[in-house]
Amino acid sequence: RFDNARRRLLACGYNVAECELTEIHCNQQPGCEDLEWIENGFVQGFVTVDGRSARVMDYAPGQLLQPHKHDLDELFEIRGGSVEVSTWPEGKEGKKETKILKAGDLIEIPSGVPHSLCCDKDAGLQFHELVGEGTEVFAKRATTFLIKDGFERPKLAVALSS
């Protein structure tokens, strides 16, 4: 898993050759306990990107991240792969909005907005955080998964990059 993530991140220009990569498996909150890593996880590391310390992430081909929200704004730059991002700006009762984003695009998620990810089945997704420095923001961010609240879960991934 780590070798494949490292290869994909290097191919996108991230200097992760000597970086420690960590597997994040989001299965500790209610409703997430039985989810496999591919259904609710990713690989991350911390490296210098464009002159600043940043968290870089790799989502494997077909990887999902279930509906969740944060207490801080999120801003990421995609460098590889593609992703279907679903958001519920007005909450569960409002309309779900879905966008396909690819390398060169930004993922912007305001604080408190529920969202989920469905990554390309062939290329996955490689991106980095633009908010804060290094581990600072990641350590401060609270994440609440919303499966138990009845949010629509992402479907198995399809090819998004065609």
Side-chain angles (χ1 to χ4, degrees), residues 13-142:
Y14 293 117
N15 187 15
V16 295
E18 303 298 321
C19 168
E20 178 185 358
L21 296 178
T22 307
E23 178 181 289
I24 305 298
H25 185 177
C26 308
N27 65 342
Q28 301 300 309
Q29 293 189 25
C32 299
E33 301 93 334
D34 296 327
L35 295 173
E36 298 293 327
W37 174 79
I38 197 74
E39 297 174 291
N40 210 35
F42 53 93
V43 170
Q44 72 177 18
F46 295 89
V47 297
T48 300
V49 178
D50 299 333
R52 59 182 284 283
S53 177
R55 178 169 68 130
V56 296
M57 288 154 285
D58 175 77
Y59 283 66
Q63 190 126 32
L64 305 173
L65 195 61
Q66 301 301 317
H68 64 286
K69 64 182 179 179
H70 304 285
D71 58 346
L72 297 172
D73 293 343
E74 290 189 299
L75 180 62
F76 303 99
E77 180 185 329
I78 299 173
R79 292 255 176 114
S82 57
V83 63
E84 180 181 275
V85 178
S86 296
T87 60
W88 291 264
E90 305 301 321
K92 187 177 82 170
E93 305 307 320
K95 181 182 172 196
K96 176 175 92 169
E97 298 177 4
T98 301
K99 294 188 235 180
I100 306 291
L101 301 172
K102 60 187 180 332
D105 292 337
L106 297 178
I107 301 173
E108 299 179 76
I109 309 288
S111 172
V113 172
H115 56 287
S116 66
L117 304 178
C118 179
C119 299
D120 183 86
K121 75 174 188 72
D122 297 320
L125 176 68
Q126 298 75 43
F127 60 112
H128 66 278
E129 193 154 38
L130 294 172
V131 177
E133 284 276 330
T135 60
E136 165 204 349
V137 171
F138 182 68
K140 292 180 182 178
R141 174 183 303 127

